[in-house]
Amino acid sequence: MPNLKTILCKNKDKLPANSAPGVYKLDCSCGKSYVGETKKKISTRVGEHQRDVQNGKWKNSGVTEHCKDCNGNINWLNPSTLHQESRWHPRKVTEALEIQCQRTGPNEIGQMNRDTGYKLHSQTWRSFFFEWRRKQPKLKRWQNHWFKENDTIVPNQEEADVNDASQSD
Ligand SMILES: [Zn+2]
């Protein structure tokens, strides 16, 4: 006889994909990608992007702007949840990191984002990337990463400063 807790936990495990707040990635068949963040369900936010495209609201985001001039197809129905995160500050930081990591920022090869997101002390986040890749070494997305195999990680003060700043969130 299952109790309430097992039922709830079971349901939690069966949450459909992209049903949490967090950081996501949309890919276009032309090879470019867009990284976004939302406090809504990711599937909800992606649906909004798609409607913006259908309604010609090109200015609303980097991905809609891309659709104005590209004949490729966006994977609207199958976005990638990169990180589930409901907290504002960690979500913003994570988005900015992924924009760097996925190289979707302005003037990057995978460019679709109009800016680099939340202001970061750029190079100091290498240890984060290193940690992500260590956890999931086979992930395809590391292929584009600028991080070299034999780089060593030197923690530094700037990183600690940013962590401190998150306390004021
Ligand atoms: Zn495209």
Side-chain angles (χ1 to χ4, degrees):
M1 185 74 181
N3 60 25
L4 187 60
K5 189 178 175 221
T6 49
I7 291 169
L8 288 175
C9 289
K10 218 175 193 175
N11 284 342
K12 198 176 174 189
D13 287 338
K14 283 182 180 170
L15 277 179
N18 306 308
S19 64
V23 177
Y24 59 92
K25 182 164 74 79
L26 286 166
D27 299 314
C28 183
S29 57
C30 75
K32 294 191 173 182
S33 299
Y34 173 81
V35 171
E37 60 83 22
T38 181
K39 66 179 177 183
K40 303 172 184 172
K41 288 179 182 178
I42 285 170
S43 56
T44 303
R45 183 69 187 112
V46 169
E48 290 173 352
H49 287 313
Q50 192 175 13
R51 270 195 303 284
D52 282 344
V53 170
Q54 285 159 358
N55 296 328
K57 294 183 175 172
W58 310 115
K59 294 290 176 198
N60 280 6
S61 68
V63 65
T64 48
E65 210 158 63
H66 177 82
C67 290
K68 187 183 179 186
D69 299 318
C70 181
N71 291 322
N73 295 310
I74 305 275
N75 62 335
W76 299 117
L77 297 177
N78 193 24
S80 313
T81 293
L82 301 175
H83 303 268
Q84 291 186 7
E85 180 58 73
S86 56
R87 296 168 299 168
W88 184 86
H89 190 268
R91 204 172 59 235
K92 289 286 181 183
V93 170
T94 304
E95 181 201 28
L97 288 170
E98 286 288 0
I99 289 171
Q100 278 190 51
C101 181
Q102 308 281 345
R103 293 185 168 185
T104 62
N107 305 316
E108 296 270 25
I109 48 171
Q111 185 266 334
M112 222 192 273
N113 286 85
R114 294 184 292 199
D115 57 58
T116 51
Y118 194 76
K119 190 88 180 113
L120 298 174
H121 304 271
S122 57
Q123 297 279 321
T124 67
W125 295 86
R126 292 157 77 90
S127 59
F128 270 75
F129 297 149
F130 183 81
E131 181 64 16
W132 295 352
R133 199 173 74 158
R134 193 186 59 74
K135 285 180 185 163
Q136 300 166 299
K138 299 249 162 68
L139 266 193
K140 209 177 171 188
R141 65 193 180 103
W142 298 122
Q143 288 172 4
N144 282 341
H145 198 8
W146 45 260
F147 198 64
K148 298 288 193 302
E149 199 65 53
N150 53 1
D151 273 355
T152 50
I153 299 303
V154 184
N156 60 45
Q157 190 53 44
E158 280 184 80
E159 204 168 290
D161 290 345
V162 175
N163 287 334
D164 289 346
S166 69
Q167 304 297 326
S168 61
D169 191 10

